[in-house]
Amino acid sequence: MTSTASTATPAYWEPLWRSSRRYRPLCQAEKQLMAEHLGPGGGRPALDIGSGDGGLARHLHHELGYRTTGIDCSPSAITLAAAQGTGSGPTWQCLDIATGDLAMLPDAAYALITCRLVYRWMDDKPGFLGRVRRLLAPGGTFWVVTEIAGRRTTTDPALLGLGIPPTDAELLATGWSVARTADLDVLRCYALRP
């Protein structure tokens, strides 16, 4: 029996971020969907899980007006995100959402929690969703952007494996009082509320 290395750990992500690998940046259509589903932040706290180079956290902070904290399990990603900031902006913290001490976060609860292109990589999805629910303030929004399986027009198995299957999509959307979705090419955006 062979075991595969977890893709939800710093050991997996650190070499990728250290090697200058970059991922899909925010596009105007995605920003528009966030404006429609999330609305203005008004200085309320937001948590960006798996913030990578910090593009989403900076957008939430500077464009939508949230007081944003970006977390990532990769020290290199946090260094990259922090280096791109000028003046006041999001705060950055190296923290593994799956195993880290959530008491180390600057706020006990968040009006908005985002998870962009990260959900697919969580080994223990029910555990991850439980941690998010504990951090989400009453009336808050959990914004998830993830690729959906079967939408790519490629035969590259590495790319075909990036989408979540229907069972993971169902798990993600179950148990919320409001679950709105919007499709964006191969991605699906979820606005989930307790």
Side-chain angles (χ1 to χ4, degrees):
M1 177 179 184
T2 60
S3 71
T4 57
S6 173
T7 57
T9 65
Y12 180 84
W13 291 103
E14 180 60 15
L16 296 172
W17 283 109
R18 198 177 330 114
S19 72
S20 301
R21 181 154 181 190
R22 298 298 172 264
Y23 300 90
R24 181 181 172 142
L26 289 174
C27 67
Q28 193 55 44
E30 192 175 345
K31 290 177 182 179
Q32 182 61 39
L33 285 172
M34 283 189 283
E36 292 169 12
H37 288 275
L38 307 180
R44 295 176 298 151
L47 179 66
D48 181 28
I49 298 170
S51 59
D53 66 8
L56 175 55
R58 280 190 296 281
H59 177 74
L60 296 172
H61 193 87
H62 296 295
E63 305 303 321
L64 295 183
Y66 287 90
R67 182 174 41 82
T68 308
T69 299
I71 64 170
D72 201 292
C73 66
S74 165
S76 291
I78 293 298
T79 299
L80 176 65
Q84 295 181 46
T86 56
S88 67
T91 58
W92 308 104
Q93 191 170 347
C94 190
L95 180 71
D96 185 339
I97 189 66
T99 61
D101 181 0
L102 300 182
M104 301 301 294
L105 291 169
D107 293 282
Y110 292 86
L112 172 64
I113 298 176
T114 59
C115 172
R116 183 177 184 271
L117 309 178
V118 173
Y119 177 70
R120 177 257 183 264
W121 303 102
M122 291 292 124
D123 291 333
D124 177 9
K125 288 177 179 53
F128 167 71
L129 293 170
R131 291 188 128 214
V132 166
R133 288 176 194 273
R134 286 191 294 278
L135 288 170
L136 194 60
T141 301
F142 182 34
W143 178 256
V144 180
V145 178
T146 190
E147 186 167 329
I148 300 297
R151 291 193 173 178
R152 285 194 181 253
T153 58
T154 181
T155 57
D156 183 342
L159 294 176
L160 289 174
L162 292 177
I164 63 169
T167 53
D168 287 347
E170 182 179 350
L171 175 66
L172 174 61
T174 299
W176 302 94
S177 67
V178 175
R180 294 195 172 99
T181 63
D183 287 343
L184 183 66
D185 59 65
V186 299
L187 302 177
R188 178 163 292 153
C189 303
Y190 293 81
L192 307 169
R193 293 188 174 91

